[in-house]
Amino acid sequence: PEPHPSRNENTFYYCARVTTWLPAGTPKAMFLVWGDGLGPALTAPALREALAATGALRLQVNLDDEHVAAALRFGTGDPIGAVVSLWGPAPGQAAGALAEHLTLAAPGARTAGWLVEERRRVDPAETYDGSRADVLANTAVLRRPAELDEETWLHRWLVEHTPIAIRTQATTAYL
């Protein structure tokens, strides 16, 4: 079926043959990407090959492309063209491979990345190599308010906000 035009789908790619699970403690890095020509660059087999060479196990690409052009967006500054998630034992090397690939495949693209602690409150349905998931991908990039210490901020986000968000939205996954 054709993707719904108002949805922002996830696209998953495997960098190596793995099952739907990843080993416990597998590091995850996430990158915001700005630029033109990101779709072809981020879905290219050459990127998966470069990432696999670093030991990356899984790649998820959330694209702002023609399939989601009608979707509502919020934010300030330059629009984010993609959110890239990588799982693997060497996130620094994978970040380097991503940056090098984008230099050639999407000249002028910019990235900002973070090593993140993934908490899976509701696991997403499995999608297969290169297929789009017909679900809304709502990604929030937040800054901790200066008046809150890290412990208080994490408590508010993970303990107070998350359960309410899961109960009050049509949530199919919550990471």
Side-chain angles (χ1 to χ4, degrees):
E2 287 294 310
H4 189 280
S6 66
R7 297 201 178 164
N8 180 1
E9 293 92 357
N10 301 314
T11 303
F12 291 96
Y13 294 94
Y14 291 101
C15 298
R17 290 201 172 268
V18 296
T19 63
T20 57
W21 58 271
L22 293 167
T26 299
K28 178 181 180 181
M30 294 184 73
F31 302 88
L32 303 181
V33 186
W34 296 266
D36 296 321
L38 296 177
L42 293 172
T43 59
L47 175 59
R48 293 191 301 280
E49 292 165 9
L51 292 170
T54 71
L57 300 172
R58 191 169 190 176
L59 165 67
Q60 177 183 329
V61 178
N62 294 75
L63 283 172
D64 183 0
D65 62 10
E66 69 277 3
H67 296 287
V68 297
L72 181 64
R73 287 148 184 83
F74 297 101
T76 59
D78 294 336
I80 297 167
V83 177
V84 174
S85 300
L86 295 167
W87 290 261
Q93 290 178 6
L98 173 63
E100 184 177 327
H101 175 78
L102 287 173
T103 298
L104 301 172
R110 297 178 296 121
T111 64
W114 297 266
L115 190 58
V116 300
E117 181 180 326
E118 182 176 72
R119 295 174 188 212
R120 290 177 166 252
R121 294 292 302 267
V122 179
D123 282 329
E126 185 60 30
T127 58
Y128 299 95
D129 199 21
S131 63
R132 293 178 78 106
D134 187 23
V135 296
L136 171 69
N138 185 8
T139 303
V141 179
L142 306 172
R143 292 182 191 196
R144 177 175 51 87
E147 65 274 9
L148 297 179
D149 60 61
E150 184 175 0
E151 182 179 350
T152 302
W153 167 241
L154 289 174
H155 180 82
R156 285 190 183 171
W157 187 253
L158 299 172
V159 177
E160 296 172 14
H161 167 81
T162 297
I164 294 169
I166 290 171
R167 284 193 313 270
T168 60
Q169 302 171 25
T171 303
T172 59
Y174 199 98
L175 307 179

